[in-house]
Amino acid sequence: MPATDYQASFLGRISIRRNQVIAMDGNHEQELQDLELFSKHVSERFAELLSSPDDVPFDALLSISWLRKLLDFFLCCEAEFKGILMMGNDPSQISKPPLDRLIPEFLDRSVKALDVCNAVTNGLESVRHYQKLAEIVVSALEQKPIGDGQSRRAKKALTSLISAMNVDDKECSAAKATERSWSFSRRGVSSKDRVPEHFRSVSNHVAKNWSAAKQIQAMTNNLVPPRGAEGSGLASPVYTMSVIMVFVMWALVAAIPCQERNGLSAIHFPAPKQLNWAQSIIGLHEKIGEEWKKKEKKGTAGLLDEMQKMEKLGNILMGFTDSFQFHGDITDQKAEEAAAHAAELAEPCRRMEEGLLPLQMQIREVFHRIVKTRTELLNALDQVGKSSPPLL
Amino acid sequence: MDGCQSGVPTYEGDLHVVAAAHHIVKALGATKNLSDDLRKILIDLDSHLSMITSNIDSKGGRGLVDVEERLDQAERKIMRWETDPMMIWDSGPKEASDYLEAVDETGKLVDGLRGLSVHENRKQKEILHRAMNIFQTAMSRLEEELIHILVRHGQQFEPKNMYSRSIRKDIVYDESFVSVEDEPTKETSSQNCSNDESGECIVDLVHADVIPDIKSIAKVMFTSNYGPEFCEAFISVQKEALEQYFSFLGTENLSIEDVLKMEWTCLSSKMNKWTWSMKIIVRVYLASEKQLCDQVLGGLGSVSSYCFLEISKATILCLLNFGEAVAMGPHRPEKLLRLLDMYETLADLLRDIDTLFSEEAGSFIQLQFHELLERLGESAIAAFKAFRVAISSNGSLYPFAGGGVHPLNKYVMNYIRMFPEYWNTLNLLLKNQHPGVADQVTKPDYGPDTSLLTSCPMAYHLRSITSCLESNLHKKSQLYKDEALQHIFLMNNIHYLVQKVKGSELRLFFGDEWIRKHNAMFQQHAMNYERATWSSVVSFLKDNNPGSSSMLKSTFKERCKGFSIAFEEVYKTQTSWSIPDPQLREDLQISTSLKVVLAYRTFLGRNLAYTDEKCVKHTVEHVENSLLDLFGGSSRSLRNSRRW
């Protein structure tokens, strides 16, 4: 089937290779060693994500490439997790306490993660729109000499861009999709370049009243570190994987425009610091959480690095176009500055052009992987005999 | 119109030459050792050149004046609309073409002026900026006009006009397997739309009359480097129109969690709606959208497919997600037909999808479709297996009253009666699935003339399903204490099975041999019934001494009484039994009659001497008529009908 060829060539080449290696190793090792290896890998991977230098724009925290790395790590951890849970061990374990309770909870979390994936995929459509508007700004301002015409062209695109980015989550979900008017009310509008009362933004694509923040909050339900004897068994990778899943979804939602994110920063991860593997995740959570809190009040499209750069440069250039309009002309120095900022703006545009589609595909891959694991776990539960009533 | 090189006078070039010459003359004049004659010539030349320069300057000034005049004219045409509440394209074709002409003129002036910017001429720079300013106003206006045209002339179309909602898959039981005890009488017609399967059904999403207008706007915006603005506006309007249409179809967005928690009846209707929406959206809406994009943006490279993808992606993903959610859900048997509907719809649309999203950027969508198709296939197989498991595990604690056709049997047979509709798909999906039942059940021992249909994978599975059903019915028959009723139950149910097979396309898959075998089976049960019930009754009428002509009167009386009691007992019990099929009931009554009535008549005939009222409670006619009361489903008694 062409579909699989495509997938094999495009998606997850790395992760598949890694999975195989891990699976082979895992088969020959003791459970304890498996578990240790798993948490070691988790800890290494997230340490790498945490240490992403802020000054290297390509790999900056919450940049497109950083998110892709995050998702790649998620896929790796997930494959390893499944290997531990389903291959090496006595399969009947998953139907015995405490897993008989933990696995259904995990599956429930998985389903919630799927809806988050979809919301984020949809949010990327908005990012794509920002990119296109920013590209217009760049192309208007890179022309020389800069005159009122280009300045107005840039301003028009900037106005759309900035308002689109500032549309708050609520607005872009429920109300927005219902009734939108295309009228420009031509009479009595003085501005020369009317910006249509319409911003292509996140429409209501998950479901009415669906909230990304609530969804993630719900994913943390019952998520507590295993205690006592449980800590050495399979309960611990289930817990680890759950935390990773919640974190990844949380980070995606923080980065990319998404339906309803009120209260996102209040989500607490029950990951104790004494767990080695958890430290980097906690570190990342704190770092991103701080950022989110700063932006939350103002209302933000998301913390995606490229988007933040766009927003910052957009505001600067907006000031430039304003002063242009006011003075009718500008000094050469100002013009040069503006041109430099425009050139700077071209950079995140370029990275979006290169990275957004692959990111979207990767989120889809995560989606399919979660579905697949869920199916396999349900089948395993079924076969073990004590098939609990279908979970969801 | 002139070409752009003639748009602005080329006095600049002249100026350069003269300036260069002037420069050389001055440099030469500065040389010390020059003859007086030569010096004089140079001085003359110098003044001459100065003349030329001033000449050219005044000529150049006139050129700029020309440019300014032309710009003024274009500006008037463009700016007058800025205060006019009317939209240009609404005002008439003349207005629109005038406007486009003015835009074109401005564009040429901008290009011409920009080509000359080497010389720092203040005046010239001023005109250029003015021209560009006017040009921006025009472009901004064109974007608005575009949006206005798209919105105003967007065509609403009713799905009903596109597809007649005929009932292809006629009647489908829409209830859950769990509710098997109910009579499945609630038949809902499925809303499968049937088009003339090849049916590419393209409509005008935007009125055909305005396509040239949109194209002309596209042309001028793209040549002026305002393509991105055009695309964003076009995509925004069209995307929203699609989303509105999508909600108009009644397919609201659901989260995966919602779908997984949904009640079956609700889910079933959503699955139905999905199948229907998917077809309309892909075959009609998207095909039309693609055409619109190509009409408007064809010839602009990948722009058309880029716009199409951006317009359709979100809606397509939304549809796909519902499919994913359904495929993930618990594989309940009742989902099977709906899943098959979805599978077939998708399989049917794959070619359309591959064409619509043939570009590289669209391969993401293609891939998602292929994946979903695979998933739905797996899910359908799982539901199929669950169906069989549900059949074999359907247990009862109490015997089914009256021995009639068990609801499980009805449910199963009415359900699988739909399978032939899907046989291509089912064959494809079941090809590698083993029925998991003993071979003799599934192996077609039907001789050399076995048709292809009876040996296809679906046929194997169908027979395996009915054999599951049969063994379950056998199990259920064991719940009856009365052996005769066991046989009635099995006779009824196997007869029902055979009737359902014979009366539908199922017969092609089960084959004549299966039908013959099962006919024989229920007939055997009929015979067993007769033996179990009537042998003992008729035994009263048997002549123990075939040699002698008649028996003793006391013996006769005793036999008569015994027969009457036994007959009344049978009558009382078996009137409450049920044979729902009138033909089957009649057949059994006739054959019983043949056996019982004949024996009774002979018995009475042989002992004519004793046949007075007192001994013979029932006349032959009465017995014969009473037999017709059996298997009516309500208990009756002979005691009341006749004085003892």
Side-chain angles (χ1 to χ4, degrees):
Chain A
M1 185 168 275
T4 37
D5 290 349
Y6 184 90
Q7 186 183 31
S9 62
F10 268 85
L11 305 172
R13 206 184 274 153
I14 303 164
S15 56
I16 288 167
R17 186 152 31 84
R18 286 188 193 170
N19 300 349
Q20 284 166 349
V21 173
I22 286 150
M24 278 160 58
D25 288 350
N27 279 338
H28 302 295
E29 297 200 18
Q30 296 296 306
E31 182 182 305
L32 269 179
Q33 279 171 312
D34 282 351
L35 295 182
E36 239 165 65
L37 205 63
F38 177 58
S39 56
K40 183 168 163 275
H41 287 158
V42 170
S43 139
E44 280 168 6
R45 285 175 187 138
F46 281 88
E48 192 183 329
L49 286 168
L50 181 61
S51 67
S52 277
D54 282 340
D55 49 339
V56 181
F58 189 68
D59 256 352
L61 186 71
L62 294 179
S63 64
I64 292 175
S65 58
W66 187 90
L67 286 176
R68 293 193 57 195
K69 207 186 213 176
L70 173 72
L71 293 177
D72 198 26
F73 287 167
F74 174 84
L75 290 170
C76 294
C77 294
E78 210 272 348
E80 229 172 306
F81 164 71
K82 200 170 78 185
I84 289 173
L85 205 60
M86 296 175 69
M87 286 179 216
N89 298 285
D90 167 19
S92 68
Q93 272 203 40
I94 58 171
S95 64
K96 287 178 193 148
L99 290 188
D100 62 336
R101 174 178 56 84
L102 294 176
I103 297 275
E105 282 170 9
F106 177 78
L107 293 176
D108 189 47
R109 243 166 246 139
S110 300
V111 170
K112 290 188 162 68
L114 294 178
D115 280 324
V116 175
C117 284
N118 286 338
V120 170
T121 305
N122 193 47
L124 285 176
E125 296 285 293
S126 307
V127 181
R128 182 92 172 142
H129 181 54
Y130 306 156
Q131 177 205 334
K132 292 291 156 186
L133 290 170
E135 280 172 2
I136 293 174
V137 176
V138 172
S139 90
L141 295 180
E142 74 188 1
Q143 286 177 32
K144 277 175 189 163
I146 284 184
D148 195 26
Q150 290 100 314
S151 162
R152 274 174 48 216
R153 184 183 182 190
K155 188 182 162 78
K156 185 171 184 245
L158 280 167
T159 312
S160 297
L161 175 66
I162 289 167
S163 0
M165 281 180 139
N166 285 329
V167 170
D168 75 75
D169 300 343
K170 258 205 200 104
E171 207 179 328
C172 71
S173 57
K176 208 72 185 171
T178 51
E179 190 93 18
R180 222 176 277 164
S181 151
W182 279 102
S183 79
F184 294 89
S185 56
R186 293 196 53 83
R187 272 171 228 266
V189 178
S190 57
S191 157
K192 278 190 236 163
D193 305 283
R194 278 165 290 266
V195 175
E197 277 294 302
H198 171 263
F199 310 113
R200 190 137 55 90
S201 57
V202 190
S203 46
N204 193 2
H205 264 290
V206 180
K208 241 187 274 173
N209 303 326
W210 189 86
S211 150
K214 277 187 198 143
Q215 189 86 348
I216 291 174
Q217 182 70 62
M219 285 174 78
T220 62
N221 284 348
N222 307 321
L223 186 58
V224 284
R227 286 194 193 111
E230 281 181 10
S232 59
L234 285 179
S236 95
V238 174
Y239 170 74
T240 307
M241 198 58 221
S242 293
V243 171
I244 294 173
M245 191 185 274
V246 175
F247 173 75
V248 168
M249 295 304 142
W250 178 84
L252 284 174
V253 167
I256 295 163
C258 211
Q259 190 174 326
E260 259 301 346
R261 293 180 289 190
N262 265 341
L264 192 65
S265 61
I267 291 169
H268 172 69
F269 281 81
K273 285 211 173 193
Q274 62 267 30
L275 290 173
N276 245 341
W277 59 266
Q279 279 170 10
S280 301
I281 294 184
I282 294 166
L284 284 166
H285 178 236
E286 279 168 1
K287 218 164 153 184
I288 299 171
E290 280 305 308
E291 280 296 300
W292 179 260
K293 263 183 224 156
K294 271 190 251 164
K295 296 274 171 178
E296 197 173 30
K297 286 190 193 99
K298 287 192 284 174
T300 178
L303 298 178
L304 186 73
D305 185 58
E306 284 80 0
M307 247 160 56
Q308 297 210 64
K309 290 215 166 69
M310 226 169 228
E311 198 175 7
K312 199 181 106 209
L313 291 164
N315 282 321
I316 295 173
L317 289 169
M318 192 69 166
F320 166 75
T321 58
D322 281 343
S323 71
F324 201 107
Q325 213 165 21
F326 189 72
H327 299 295
D329 204 351
I330 43 151
T331 60
D332 287 351
Q333 194 203 340
K334 283 261 181 203
E336 261 168 46
E337 266 175 41
H341 286 310
E344 228 182 299
L345 183 60
E347 178 62 17
C349 288
R350 197 182 54 72
R351 271 189 269 137
M352 283 180 177
E353 180 65 34
E354 283 168 4
L356 282 184
L357 188 64
L359 180 61
Q360 200 167 29
M361 288 164 84
Q362 211 178 357
I363 292 174
R364 203 66 189 167
E365 194 193 352
V366 167
F367 177 95
H368 288 311
R369 179 74 76 76
I370 293 174
V371 170
K372 201 165 163 238
T373 301
R374 180 180 172 275
T375 309
E376 285 172 34
L377 276 172
L378 283 176
N379 287 345
L381 283 174
D382 212 34
Q383 272 175 10
V384 167
K386 195 208 157 207
S387 63
S388 44
L391 311 138
L392 277 180
Chain B
M1 282 303 319
D2 315 89
C4 67
Q5 57 272 63
S6 59
V8 177
T10 55
Y11 68 96
E12 183 103 342
D14 299 358
L15 269 176
H16 274 290
V17 175
V18 175
H22 214 150
H23 190 74
I24 296 169
V25 170
K26 283 234 159 83
L28 287 172
T31 326
K32 293 273 150 71
N33 52 348
L34 275 180
S35 75
D36 283 358
D37 283 356
L38 196 52
R39 196 173 294 276
K40 173 120 192 8
I41 292 170
L42 283 175
I43 289 166
D44 282 354
L45 197 54
D46 184 41
S47 67
H48 193 65
L49 283 171
S50 299
M51 279 284 289
I52 295 174
T53 312
S54 71
N55 257 349
I56 292 174
D57 262 355
S58 68
K59 224 201 277 171
R62 263 207 313 281
L64 275 183
V65 170
D66 278 351
V67 171
E68 246 184 316
E69 270 171 18
R70 284 165 61 189
L71 189 59
D72 285 345
Q73 221 174 0
E75 184 181 25
R76 268 196 302 280
K77 284 188 186 171
I78 288 168
M79 294 314 285
R80 101 171 159 85
W81 287 104
E82 292 304 295
T83 49
D84 196 319
M86 282 292 285
M87 295 304 280
I88 304 165
W89 265 260
D90 284 352
S91 310
K94 173 83 172 66
E95 276 72 11
S97 70
D98 273 1
Y99 192 81
L100 283 179
E101 218 168 83
V103 175
D104 195 46
E105 171 86 351
T106 317
K108 275 174 185 154
L109 292 174
V110 168
D111 282 346
L113 287 163
R114 204 183 262 154
L116 302 178
S117 57
V118 210
H119 201 76
E120 271 300 323
N121 184 322
R122 211 182 140 72
K123 178 75 180 163
Q124 186 188 312
K125 198 174 155 194
E126 212 180 282
I127 298 176
L128 172 62
H129 281 164
R130 218 184 100 212
M132 284 173 76
N133 210 353
I134 297 166
F135 197 61
Q136 164 62 24
T137 304
M139 287 297 138
S140 185
R141 178 57 186 248
L142 285 176
E143 192 185 327
E144 273 177 50
E145 294 283 335
L146 168 71
I147 291 172
H148 177 76
I149 293 172
L150 287 172
V151 172
R152 175 146 185 242
H153 299 279
Q155 303 275 294
Q156 298 291 325
F157 72 91
E158 289 276 317
K160 278 179 218 109
N161 302 341
M162 319 315 313
Y163 286 83
S164 57
R165 284 202 174 200
S166 78
I167 302 161
R168 181 165 73 98
K169 286 181 180 147
D170 61 333
I171 290 156
V172 168
Y173 289 108
D174 221 359
E175 46 193 81
S176 126
F177 199 87
V178 185
S179 65
V180 85
E181 293 296 324
D182 298 329
E183 284 282 303
T185 45
K186 222 177 26 183
E187 294 179 351
T188 53
S189 61
S190 72
Q191 298 175 330
N192 282 303
C193 59
S194 85
N195 55 334
D196 41 336
E197 294 297 334
S198 66
E200 213 134 290
C201 211
I202 290 181
V203 294
D204 290 325
L205 291 181
V206 173
H207 201 285
D209 291 350
V210 299
I211 299 288
D213 297 341
I214 301 172
K215 270 175 89 165
S216 63
I217 294 176
K219 188 170 162 254
V220 67
M221 286 183 77
F222 271 91
T223 47
S224 316
N225 212 15
Y226 275 70
E229 273 97 335
F230 182 93
C231 287
E232 287 309 285
F234 185 75
I235 291 167
S236 290
V237 181
Q238 291 307 102
K239 190 178 177 197
E240 186 167 312
L242 172 56
E243 274 161 22
Q244 260 167 17
Y245 185 73
F246 190 57
S247 66
F248 167 73
L249 285 180
T251 327
E252 84 246 59
N253 299 316
L254 294 162
S255 72
I256 289 180
E257 227 180 342
D258 290 344
V259 175
L260 291 178
K261 281 177 184 159
M262 199 173 278
E263 288 289 317
W264 165 241
T265 39
C266 184
L267 182 62
S268 164
S269 88
K270 294 261 187 275
M271 287 165 86
N272 242 336
K273 212 172 247 173
W274 183 90
T275 311
W276 149 258
S277 307
M278 194 61 149
K279 277 187 197 167
I280 299 258
I281 293 274
V282 173
R283 278 251 161 86
V284 186
Y285 201 106
L286 291 186
S288 309
E289 188 74 64
K290 179 81 174 168
Q291 183 190 263
L292 177 67
C293 290
D294 286 344
Q295 277 174 343
V296 173
L297 301 163
L300 289 167
S302 62
V303 176
S304 168
S305 57
Y306 159 73
C307 287
F308 176 71
L309 182 65
E310 293 294 310
I311 291 165
S312 53
K313 200 189 219 173
T315 300
I316 284 285
L317 283 177
C318 190
L319 276 166
L320 288 170
N321 282 334
F322 177 81
E324 292 285 352
V326 168
M328 276 168 72
H331 308 301
R332 298 213 183 87
E334 62 266 23
K335 263 168 86 176
L336 179 59
L337 294 185
R338 288 280 164 278
L339 280 169
L340 290 173
D341 280 336
M342 288 173 74
Y343 181 93
E344 287 191 345
T345 302
L346 217 54
D348 211 33
L349 292 175
L350 271 192
R351 220 186 31 204
D352 303 64
I353 289 297
D354 289 350
T355 325
L356 287 173
F357 298 96
S358 54
E359 255 69 23
E360 204 203 317
S363 56
F364 171 60
I365 297 287
Q366 270 190 42
L367 174 70
Q368 298 308 312
F369 263 88
H370 286 275
E371 291 212 359
L372 178 58
L373 183 70
E374 209 173 303
R375 203 104 51 218
L376 285 172
E378 288 162 9
S379 195
I381 292 171
F384 193 94
K385 286 180 180 160
F387 180 53
R388 201 172 43 217
V389 170
I391 294 168
S392 25
S393 62
N394 176 276
S396 322
L397 289 176
Y398 305 104
F400 181 64
V405 178
H406 196 274
L408 175 71
N409 192 0
K410 285 188 187 170
Y411 182 91
V412 171
M413 292 314 290
N414 284 314
Y415 202 70
I416 66 172
R417 213 174 45 158
M418 310 295 163
F419 288 7
E421 286 272 358
Y422 301 88
W423 80 280
N424 270 324
T425 304
L426 278 170
N427 271 344
L428 189 74
L429 294 174
L430 295 170
K431 209 161 49 192
N432 301 317
Q433 303 293 320
H434 299 290
V437 173
D439 267 359
Q440 69 270 17
V441 181
T442 51
K443 208 179 266 169
D445 47 352
Y446 300 147
D449 59 338
T450 307
S451 79
L452 272 175
L453 290 182
T454 54
S455 56
C456 70
M458 185 178 91
Y460 282 93
H461 284 268
L462 279 173
R463 289 192 294 266
S464 126
I465 283 178
T466 53
S467 95
C468 273
L469 177 63
E470 283 169 50
S471 51
N472 188 313
L473 291 169
H474 272 280
K475 243 186 330 195
K476 290 194 188 325
S477 76
Q478 300 303 308
L479 296 168
Y480 297 107
K481 288 196 186 87
D482 191 332
E483 191 203 336
L485 186 51
Q486 290 179 4
H487 290 299
I488 289 292
F489 176 77
L490 288 172
M491 176 196 74
N492 273 330
N493 279 284
I494 292 170
H495 176 263
Y496 181 83
L497 211 84
V498 176
Q499 288 310 108
K500 282 289 167 181
V501 169
K502 269 162 69 179
S504 68
E505 280 184 277
L506 287 175
R507 70 182 181 282
L508 303 171
F509 298 91
F510 280 85
D512 293 341
E513 186 54 39
W514 185 94
I515 293 174
R516 262 198 295 280
K517 212 170 121 194
H518 284 75
N519 268 332
M521 237 183 249
F522 81 75
Q523 279 157 7
Q524 183 62 48
H525 285 298
M527 273 152 63
N528 291 349
Y529 152 77
E530 281 177 15
R531 199 171 48 237
T533 298
W534 296 105
S535 296
S536 59
V537 180
V538 172
S539 69
F540 287 107
L541 310 176
K542 287 250 171 72
D543 199 347
N544 289 341
N545 308 313
S548 66
S549 60
S550 64
M551 58 179 71
L552 294 171
K553 187 172 181 181
S554 59
T555 319
F556 175 75
K557 262 176 96 171
E558 204 179 291
R559 296 281 187 91
C560 256
K561 197 177 170 192
F563 174 78
S564 296
I565 290 170
F567 184 75
E568 281 162 18
E569 192 54 43
V570 168
Y571 183 87
K572 193 182 155 203
T573 322
Q574 300 198 0
T575 42
S576 72
W577 295 2
S578 159
I579 300 179
D581 186 86
Q583 187 63 49
L584 183 62
R585 187 165 65 218
E586 208 184 309
D587 286 352
L588 192 64
Q589 281 161 348
I590 289 170
S591 93
T592 309
S593 231
L594 279 174
K595 191 172 179 177
V596 179
V597 175
L598 198 69
Y600 194 45
R601 183 175 286 134
T602 313
F603 172 72
L604 293 183
R606 205 176 280 168
N607 302 289
L608 263 178
Y610 314 129
T611 53
D612 57 80
E613 277 267 320
K614 263 194 157 178
C615 293
V616 185
K617 299 289 182 296
H618 305 290
T619 64
V620 174
E621 290 71 33
H622 185 243
V623 168
E624 200 169 358
N625 289 332
S626 301
L627 284 175
L628 298 178
D629 294 339
L630 300 185
F631 316 119
S634 60
S635 180
R636 296 163 71 156
S637 168
L638 279 176
R639 281 168 207 267
N640 305 328
S641 67
R642 206 161 186 283
R643 199 178 49 84
W644 183 246

